[in-house]
Amino acid sequence: MGKKVKKESEPPSKDVFDPLPIESKKAATVVLMLNSPEEEVLVKACEAIHKFAEKGDENRSSLLGLGAVEPLSHLISHEDKLVRRNAFMALGVMAANSDVKRLLKKLDAIPSIIGKLSPEEDVVVHEFATLCLASLSVDFSCKVQISDQEGLEPLIQLLSSPDPDVKKNSVETICNLVQDLPSRVAVRELNGVPPLLELLRSEFPVIQQLSLRTLVIITMDTDTRATFREEQGFDRLLEFLCNKEFSDLHVEALQVLSNCLEDRDSLQLIHETGGLQRLLQFITTPTLLDIQTNAVKAIYRVAQSSENRKLLHEQDIERSLVELLSLEGDSVRTATCQAVAAMSLHLASKDAFRDLDGIRAVVQLLGSEGGEVREAAAQALSSLTNSNQLNAYAVYEAEGDEGLVQQLHDVIPGAVAHAAAVLTNMAEQEVLRCSILSHGAMAALLEPLQSADTHTLVRATQALAALACDAEGRADLRNAGGLVPLVQLLRSNHKEVRRSACWAISVCANDDGDPRERFTKKALDLLQEINSSANRRNKFSEIALQKLLDSNLSLKYSLTNTLASTDITMDGFYDPGQARSGQRVLTLEDLSKQPVNQRRPVIAINAKPLDTGCLFPFSFTLSSCSKGKSKGRKEDEKLRDEDESKPQHEVATVTEKPWMLPYDAAFHTLVTEATKTILPLHAESEQYSALARLVSEVMGGAVEVDRQHDFLWELHLSELRYELQSNIIPIGKIRKGTYYHRALLYKVLADRIGVSCSLVRGEYNRVWNEVLLSVGTPHYPGCQPQSRAHLVDLIHQPGRLLRANTPQAIQYQTI
């Protein structure tokens, strides 16, 4: 018949209690109630914990210590709807505590929380579940877990929830998640842009702000910017920017606009809809400083593209930027200078800024107290003066060169680097270069040359090279002691720093008398090491090595065994002999201090009278001997200290007077005689042969091949050494000389009278001269006659010219 229904008048069962009111004032008791099997008890306990946790973080910590988190993390999945709701309310509030977040992560609660974001759940569950996720999503590992559990899709769906708290918590969680690139892409793929744009119309500023912050991040992605355009994002954004009620949020809105305007399509779209003019109004209209600053930053971002720069120039953006330079406020000045730097990549804009007197306005900012302003001002000037000498002169007219030199002492590396770049650009003009040097630029560059910042090092060495392109700049560099730190940069592991240092050294080696011997040798050692490495070698290191050798022919001859016809020897040249691998080539001053020994004597050249003799080691020419001797000597001592092979007692030695190479009167007489007898001869071959006979006559005449052992030239040199009490022998005193003495005399005499020849050292003391003789007649008018190399016989048949690579020439070189 069916089950019997119990009547209402029927008395209750004896083993069932009537409902009891549960009250407790102790948190510990309430936490224990979370383990009750009774749903009504659980509802009341969760409600009590929620209210207690809302009162502050201290209470949340207390509940954590009492063990409330773990049972709550289970109750959010309870089958009873009311228990779940209240458990979420309690857990959502408690999750704000950092220790609670760590425990929830350990308990792996995130999958359960995400599982309750479905549309079927109560809106209160949505509110506090998203509140939990908003708290947890600040942690990197939790972000990853939320993404892995596909939590982003339900969060995006909840952006359209009718409840503002759910919207706020959801967009806050998304904002945290998109800090990582994969989530940014996922928001676009899950169609998250439209609901984010819709939130801009929310009546709650906090929701608007979180939506804008999310859009700022996701629009860094190119594809997302395309989606933003398709979803009429610019219309929404401009609508938002035109509403003065939202002015406190315009900064974030302008940041979104700044991101989107990097794309040419976006700029064209906003230009067509009048948005670009609106952006320019934000720049020029007095308003909140932050809004103007971010509007200018948007212009800076737009100006990264050449096409965009052209469009901005058509809008006369330069005038607006120049006006902003006069505003107070470091942030807007910095942003404006950066925008000027970006726009100056457009050639027409460079001229526009100059015509608007914007260069003078930027120069004035070099004296700002704010370091960021100084750096940005120098950056703007660097861009303005790059490949534009009119702008460089405008900086000079605004007296900017002095401020730029002062900025080389700045504590901000970027400010120093940009200032050095401007000085480099300005130094192309002699008038500007002289003015820069007059403000002590070379001394000011010493500090940047020792910077730890590689960009600063590169810019500083480039500025040094630009300023050292004439004798005055090189003299200032020497006197300031700049050669030592410059050489040290060759040790840098940074490729660009080494390249710049090599170039600067090659410039400093332009004068014959400029690089002193110690500087040259130290740089040569490092350059040879660089050029021997396939990874470190570059065209600049090769040029620098060649320039240094060309500026010190004594070292060049010792190291390479060859002097070309273009290598013109001067007073002070000496032949120290062939340098062996790793051997240090001593200076003449060092050689003069050595006691007389049995080694090969050093042959020196000096035809200057004693009253104008050349000083060593400072230079080989009179003009550079008279400047900066004391500072130059200090620099030499520093370089000497670095040379590990030099004994300590020699390092400490400082001479009272500069050493002077003795005057060689006999050589002077030979130069005069060669000038009178050789130059009047018209034929090249006659000049070469006559000079050979003169050299042979001076050094003992012809010597037959089979009688060379009777030619006692070694005894003669030994006698000269002891007569002079020196290992240095002036070439004019030699009356018996063999191959290398005669070839050297031939070369130095030829250089004095303008006869072209080279000097080549072979093996076994064989040295010879090569000359070029014209052969045959041109085949047609304007064609140069062919030239062939010939060796000059100086010892067996003096004056005979031997065609190179013939048996006779080879015999002369080897036998």
Side-chain angles (χ1 to χ4, degrees), residues 778-800:
H779 294 290
Y780 51 87
C783 178
Q784 295 293 328
Q786 289 185 339
S787 296
R788 291 178 180 171
H790 287 72
L791 272 63
V792 182
D793 187 342
L794 298 172
I795 193 165
H796 304 310
Q797 298 178 40
R800 181 177 53 154

Side-chain angles (χ1 to χ4, degrees), residues 57 70 125 134 181 191 198 204 221 281 311 360 425 447 454 475 479 498 544 638 647 697 753 766 814:
D57 200 58
E70 187 168 0
V125 171
L181 181 59
N191 201 29
E198 188 62 33
F204 299 98
D221 176 66
Q281 287 178 11
L311 182 58
R360 185 176 297 275
N425 296 337
E447 191 174 343
T454 54
N479 295 338
R498 285 199 312 274
K638 290 174 76 175
E697 182 182 342
I753 65 174
R766 293 302 174 95
T814 57

Side-chain angles (χ1 to χ4, degrees), residues 30-66:
V30 177
V31 170
L32 288 174
M33 292 164 59
L34 293 175
N35 296 311
S36 170
E38 298 289 336
E39 294 171 353
E40 185 176 355
V41 173
L42 293 174
V43 169
K44 293 290 186 181
C46 290
E47 183 180 5
I49 289 175
H50 168 243
K51 291 179 180 179
F52 185 71
E54 278 190 317
K55 294 179 180 179
D57 200 58
E58 186 177 344
N59 285 6
R60 291 190 278 270
S61 295
S62 176
L63 289 168
L64 172 67
L66 292 170

Side-chain angles (χ1 to χ4, degrees), residues 348-363:
S349 293
K350 288 181 189 283
D351 298 334
F353 283 121
R354 183 181 67 252
D355 296 340
L356 293 166
D357 208 21
I359 291 177
R360 185 176 297 275
V362 176
V363 165

Side-chain angles (χ1 to χ4, degrees), residues 314-368:
E314 292 170 356
Q315 299 296 315
D316 199 21
I317 186 64
E318 295 88 359
R319 189 175 302 277
S320 300
L321 293 175
V322 171
E323 291 176 6
L324 287 178
L325 290 172
S326 60
L327 292 182
E328 296 293 331
D330 284 0
S331 61
V332 70
R333 285 176 170 178
T334 300
T336 303
C337 285
Q338 290 171 340
V340 169
M343 282 302 302
S344 294
L345 297 174
H346 184 61
L347 294 178
S349 293
K350 288 181 189 283
D351 298 334
F353 283 121
R354 183 181 67 252
D355 296 340
L356 293 166
D357 208 21
I359 291 177
R360 185 176 297 275
V362 176
V363 165
Q364 291 174 352
L365 296 181
L366 292 174
S368 300

Side-chain angles (χ1 to χ4, degrees), residues 67 87 189 223 295 298 348 397 423 451 453 464 502 667 681 690:
E189 292 175 345
D223 293 333
E397 288 185 319
L423 293 173
S451 172
D453 179 68
L464 186 150
C502 288
F667 176 62
L681 302 174

Side-chain angles (χ1 to χ4, degrees), residues 586-810:
L586 297 178
T587 66
L588 270 176
E589 183 181 13
D590 290 337
L591 290 166
S592 70
K593 296 173 183 177
Q594 290 184 341
V596 177
N597 54 49
Q598 296 301 316
R599 295 178 189 149
R600 181 183 186 276
V602 174
I603 313 302
I605 315 298
N606 183 28
K608 288 188 181 293
L610 284 172
D611 58 346
T612 58
C614 194
L615 306 182
F616 290 86
F618 306 111
S619 88
F620 293 150
T621 63
L622 270 174
S623 60
S624 58
C625 290
S626 60
K627 275 184 91 173
K629 296 176 184 175
S630 61
K631 290 184 180 178
R633 189 180 299 117
K634 289 179 182 178
E635 186 172 275
D636 282 330
E637 289 168 14
K638 290 174 76 175
L639 282 166
R640 188 184 297 129
D641 289 341
E642 292 177 4
D643 197 332
E644 298 177 357
S645 65
K646 189 165 184 65
Q648 291 299 313
H649 70 276
E650 288 187 37
V651 173
T653 301
V654 179
T655 56
E656 291 290 332
K657 293 173 64 178
W659 181 78
M660 182 178 290
L661 179 64
Y663 166 56
D664 189 350
F667 176 62
H668 192 142
T669 302
L670 277 174
V671 173
T672 303
E673 182 178 352
T675 303
K676 292 178 180 179
T677 60
I678 308 301
L679 286 183
L681 302 174
H682 297 293
E684 288 180 330
S685 59
E686 291 181 9
Q687 289 181 333
Y688 295 144
S689 296
L691 183 58
R693 288 190 291 270
L694 175 62
V695 168
S696 176
E697 182 182 342
V698 170
M699 291 206 165
V703 180
E704 296 180 11
V705 175
D706 56 356
R707 302 294 298 176
Q708 290 186 85
H709 59 277
D710 294 331
F711 189 65
L712 304 178
W713 61 272
E714 291 157 313
L715 177 61
H716 170 63
L717 292 179
S718 181
E719 290 172 347
L720 283 176
R721 190 186 346 233
Y722 282 96
E723 175 190 334
L724 299 171
Q725 282 300 296
S726 173
N727 294 313
I728 301 173
I729 298 178
I731 196 166
K733 287 189 172 292
I734 301 176
R735 290 292 172 263
K736 281 190 177 183
T738 186
Y739 294 92
Y740 72 86
H741 308 104
R742 298 188 185 203
L744 178 58
L745 179 59
Y746 190 92
K747 169 64 175 171
V748 296
L749 284 175
D751 289 345
R752 296 303 170 107
I753 65 174
V755 173
S756 178
C757 80
S758 63
L759 180 66
V760 182
R761 190 194 334 258
E763 296 180 350
Y764 309 110
N765 283 330
R766 293 302 174 95
V767 181
W768 58 88
N769 304 101
E770 289 186 2
V771 297
L772 292 176
L773 282 179
S774 299
V775 179
T777 57
H779 294 290
Y780 51 87
C783 178
Q784 295 293 328
Q786 289 185 339
S787 296
R788 291 178 180 171
H790 287 72
L791 272 63
V792 182
D793 187 342
L794 298 172
I795 193 165
H796 304 310
Q797 298 178 40
R800 181 177 53 154
L801 301 179
L802 308 170
R803 185 173 169 182
N805 299 320
T806 61
Q808 293 86 351
I810 294 171

Side-chain angles (χ1 to χ4, degrees), residues 443-517:
L445 281 169
L446 292 188
E447 191 174 343
L449 282 178
Q450 301 171 72
S451 172
D453 179 68
T454 54
H455 185 56
T456 301
L457 288 174
V458 170
R459 292 301 190 185
T461 49
Q462 290 173 347
L464 186 150
L467 293 169
C469 66
D470 56 26
E472 181 186 356
R474 289 189 287 273
D476 282 355
L477 177 64
R478 292 196 306 272
N479 295 338
L483 294 177
V484 175
L486 178 58
V487 171
Q488 289 302 318
L489 292 181
L490 294 175
R491 301 181 186 274
S492 173
N493 291 323
H494 191 273
K495 180 180 179 181
E496 195 61 30
V497 172
R498 285 199 312 274
R499 289 180 59 180
S500 299
C502 288
W503 176 245
I505 286 172
S506 70
V507 172
C508 291
N510 273 334
D511 286 347
D512 288 339
D514 200 5
R516 286 177 300 284
E517 293 178 4

